[in-house]
Amino acid sequence: MPGITTPLRERKSRRPTGLPNPPMMLLVGPEKSGKSFEAALGTGSDLLGMTYWIEIGGSEGTADYYGRVPGARYEIVEHNGTYQDILDAIRWAVAQPPVNGKPNMIVVDNMTVLWDMLSDEQALFARRRAERKAQENRRRAPSLDDPVVIDSDLWNRAKDRWGEILWMLRRHHGPTLLLARQEIVTAFENDKPTRDKTRKIKAERNLPAAVDAIVELHSLGEAYLTGVRTLHWNVKPGETMAFPEFSVDTLMRRLGFEEAAAARQVTEVRPDAYLQEQEQRNQQQAPRAQQQRRPAEHGLTSQKAAALIKKALEDQNDPEAALQGLREEWGIRTLQQIPTESRLGKMSADDLITRSLAYIKSRAEQQQAGGQQQEQTGTDARQSEAPGTARPADQEDQAREHHEPPAAPSTPVQPDPEPEPPAEGAAPPPPDPQAEEPPPGETPEETSAAEEPQDLPAPPPAKRAPRKKSNADVARQALLDEAEVQARLKFTTVRDHLQPVYAEGEPGLAQLRDFIQGQRAEAIALLEENDHATLADAYRRAPMPDLGLKKKFAPYFDSAPAGQ
């Protein structure tokens, strides 16, 4: 924030502790140079409580065999070979408590296979992306012999997954030993090959910078220290020095592990915090922008609002949907700032829409209760009951003549007070819902028993126009569709899947949304385990709710084998 010199919050400073972190060591070398053997031998150190061995890749498979090394003391953490399960195995090892009051060590054998797996994932994803683009552009899909370029965004994704592994290892409160292969390659100078040879670690190129010590095993019993971060050892920075009689126990002691801190002192950077700041800023600016919007900006006046509400009430298809459409078009905040005046008094346009919706609901209930009589005179009743429309005097007199009992001679009949006419341009108010239903205007000829047959079947009820679904109904249906997708991915029923949220009755829209959003991580993990990275990535970026999610998963479920 340029221009701000005052600290945004109260801060404190502290003196350095002078304690080293629990070391993260990297042991590299070519094939059959003794990396795994030295790691197994180092698990017998008296500085350790227990060692948890995570073996990645089945090309070597020495974790079980090296358990017979004299003094070896470790346990193998099993996994299914997928990235998520390997990460969870590391997470489990980090969470284990110390044994006999001593910290535990984690061995990862090896990091080369892990980076190869992440690279292969992105190569497969790039090929699928090329096939999808070729299908969209109606071109020939690339064959297995055609090269496919892995875009930079895919390499960034692989680096993110690699960084998550190292981030979890840095949460460990004990030493960590990483194994990786080393290759002898041709040295380049000015992008041109030379006759010299050099050694290169076959892993992600930033791995050496993430560890505290690097030891190279050129052959059995021949070790060299090529990089270290310590004050307990008199070494010259940038030089490679021989490490006679190398062992993991000796390396940990020379790194000062005996007096190391209880946990690694590190403050991780948070690039995602920038996105969170932008989201918070947008959320704070949105209400201010809505408050600054004036009714005049939209050209909506009191007379225009009243005319629109009246037109919506007179809609022959669905007046309720027309009134809701006014709210969606102009916004509740704008309608609340527009004053209107009617027989019901002065109120905002939004309140007038609310009263009009209540009137439509009461009219529908009266029509349903009226049954057959209201259906026969539906057209006349709608015209007579429409707000702001007066009934003809002769029709009202006829109705009273046929349906009202004569009044007593001593009690004069008081005429109904004339209703006060509504203000000009204002929407007609809804009638009193407690008023009696006015009798239909009939003549004696229309109700004569001699002319009207008595055994005619009742006419069918008039079909109302289909009611437009509200936004809440659409959102709930989209959430239920996503719940069905999640249930099919977990091989269970929708009822069992939604049982936790429906235990106390039908949940609210927000409660249902939060539950389904919380189940997304498990569904995405299942897709990735089944090698559907493209669909998992699309599901990860899907909005909440996604109206077309069920269609996106239709090809996946249609292609599944029978019984799944």
Side-chain angles (χ1 to χ4, degrees):
M1 295 182 181
I4 297 179
T5 59
T6 305
L8 299 180
R9 64 181 179 89
E10 184 179 356
R11 298 183 180 276
K12 296 181 180 180
S13 59
R14 62 178 179 85
R15 293 183 177 273
T17 62
L19 301 177
N21 290 323
M24 183 177 292
M25 303 164 288
L26 177 62
L27 191 59
V28 299
E31 295 81 357
K32 311 302 184 292
S33 58
K35 300 184 297 297
S36 300
F37 177 83
E38 291 293 345
L41 192 63
T43 60
S45 174
D46 58 358
L47 300 176
L48 306 175
M50 178 55 65
T51 299
Y52 296 101
W53 194 294
I54 301 174
E55 187 175 41
I56 304 174
S59 60
E60 298 178 0
T62 58
D64 283 299
Y65 182 50
Y66 282 167
R68 64 190 302 174
V69 172
R73 182 165 45 88
Y74 61 88
E75 295 180 358
I76 302 174
V77 183
E78 297 180 347
H79 56 84
N80 60 10
T82 62
Y83 169 80
Q84 291 294 339
D85 207 46
I86 293 173
L87 178 61
D88 195 63
I90 297 175
R91 189 182 293 115
W92 180 88
V94 170
Q96 296 308 303
V99 177
N100 298 328
K102 299 179 181 180
N104 304 323
M105 183 171 70
I106 296 178
V107 176
V108 181
D109 184 16
N110 63 49
M111 301 297 287
T112 299
V113 180
L114 176 63
W115 179 245
D116 289 343
M117 183 189 71
L118 296 177
S119 302
D120 293 341
E121 285 181 353
Q122 305 314 313
L124 292 174
F125 193 91
R127 182 165 294 277
R128 292 183 181 179
R129 175 185 289 181
E131 293 175 353
R132 184 174 64 252
K133 289 184 177 179
Q135 185 178 5
E136 293 175 354
N137 298 330
R138 297 182 179 181
R139 294 184 299 185
R140 182 181 65 86
S143 63
L144 296 178
D145 296 331
D146 296 334
V148 176
V149 178
I150 303 179
D151 298 330
S152 58
D153 65 317
L154 298 182
W155 283 121
N156 292 336
R157 181 183 303 177
K159 288 179 179 292
D160 290 342
R161 293 162 77 86
W162 172 271
E164 193 172 1
I165 293 287
L166 295 180
W167 183 90
M168 184 56 62
L169 290 173
R170 286 194 292 269
R171 307 277 80 75
H172 182 44
H173 294 171
T176 302
L177 182 60
L178 308 178
L179 308 183
R181 287 201 301 268
Q182 190 180 49
E183 296 179 341
I184 300 177
V185 297
T186 301
F188 279 74
E189 184 177 356
N190 297 328
D191 295 335
K192 294 182 180 180
T194 64
R195 295 182 179 181
D196 299 331
K197 299 293 182 180
T198 185
R199 295 178 179 270
K200 179 182 179 182
I201 300 175
K202 195 173 185 300
E204 203 273 330
R205 61 181 182 180
N206 294 321
L207 177 60
V211 298
D212 300 308
I214 305 173
V215 177
E216 295 182 0
L217 296 179
H218 293 183
S219 62
L220 294 175
E222 185 181 359
Y224 294 88
L225 181 71
T226 60
V228 67
R229 185 187 298 120
T230 181
L231 298 177
H232 288 72
W233 198 354
N234 187 16
V235 294
K236 295 182 179 180
E239 292 187 0
T240 299
M241 59 177 294
F243 198 153
E245 299 181 0
F246 165 77
S247 68
V248 176
D249 178 77
T250 304
L251 179 60
M252 289 189 297
R253 294 181 187 275
R254 293 191 178 183
L255 293 176
F257 174 60
E258 294 176 287
E259 54 180 282
R264 178 173 288 271
Q265 302 293 329
V266 62
T267 302
E268 301 284 353
V269 295
R270 297 176 53 198
D272 59 325
Y274 177 73
L275 298 178
Q276 296 177 0
E277 293 175 2
Q278 295 297 321
E279 293 177 358
Q280 293 178 358
R281 184 176 302 175
N282 294 337
Q283 292 177 359
Q284 294 174 358
Q285 291 178 354
R288 298 176 183 175
Q290 292 181 358
Q291 292 177 0
Q292 293 176 356
R293 293 172 61 185
R294 303 293 182 87
E297 296 178 0
H298 304 280
L300 187 63
T301 60
S302 300
Q303 293 77 9
K304 185 176 180 179
L308 291 175
I309 296 175
K310 180 179 180 181
K311 183 179 179 180
L313 277 171
E314 296 174 352
D315 187 28
Q316 298 296 330
N317 296 326
D318 194 347
E320 182 179 358
L323 291 171
Q324 295 290 359
L326 287 178
R327 277 180 170 169
E328 295 178 0
E329 180 180 358
W330 296 99
I332 295 179
R333 290 184 178 272
T334 301
L335 293 174
Q336 288 176 347
Q337 299 175 5
I338 303 299
T340 60
E341 185 175 356
S342 65
R343 287 170 49 191
L344 298 178
K346 296 182 179 180
M347 64 183 68
S348 66
D350 183 71
D351 293 337
L352 186 58
I353 291 178
T354 302
R355 298 292 295 271
S356 301
L357 290 173
Y359 160 71
I360 293 175
K361 182 178 179 181
S362 63
R363 186 179 65 178
E365 294 176 354
Q366 293 175 2
Q367 290 178 350
Q368 185 177 3
Q372 182 177 355
Q373 291 183 354
Q374 187 168 357
E375 177 62 27
Q376 292 176 353
T377 60
T379 304
D380 298 335
R382 282 192 297 268
Q383 296 177 354
S384 61
E385 293 175 4
T389 304
R391 296 181 53 184
D394 54 349
Q395 183 178 354
E396 185 175 1
D397 294 338
Q398 273 190 346
R400 291 180 179 178
E401 181 180 352
H402 286 278
H403 295 278
E404 290 185 358
S410 60
T411 304
V413 179
Q414 298 293 334
D416 292 339
E418 290 294 334
E420 183 180 354
E424 182 179 358
D432 186 4
Q434 299 181 353
E436 297 182 359
E437 181 73 12
E442 298 179 345
T443 60
E445 290 78 7
E446 294 176 337
T447 57
S448 174
E451 295 180 3
E452 284 287 331
Q454 303 299 317
D455 56 347
L456 290 178
K463 295 184 178 180
R464 299 183 60 185
R467 181 179 178 271
K468 182 180 180 181
K469 291 185 178 181
S470 63
N471 294 337
D473 295 337
V474 175
R476 179 176 289 273
Q477 184 60 41
L479 292 175
L480 294 177
D481 291 344
E482 183 171 352
E484 180 182 352
V485 170
Q486 294 177 352
R488 295 188 65 178
L489 291 175
K490 295 171 61 177
F491 296 100
T492 184
T493 62
V494 180
R495 180 178 181 181
D496 294 340
H497 179 61
L498 296 177
Q499 180 63 29
V501 74
Y502 275 86
E504 299 181 358
E506 184 174 358
L509 188 61
Q511 184 180 1
L512 181 63
R513 178 198 60 199
D514 295 341
F515 174 79
I516 294 177
Q517 189 171 12
Q519 302 295 320
R520 279 194 172 187
E522 183 179 358
I524 293 173
L526 292 173
L527 289 172
E528 291 178 341
E529 290 178 5
N530 295 326
D531 297 332
H532 292 283
T534 304
L535 190 58
D537 184 66
Y539 190 20
R540 185 181 293 106
R541 293 184 286 102
M544 175 61 74
D546 189 353
L547 304 181
L549 185 66
K550 194 172 182 180
K551 294 182 179 179
K552 296 178 182 177
F553 275 86
Y556 169 75
F557 291 129
D558 294 342
S559 62
Q564 294 187 359

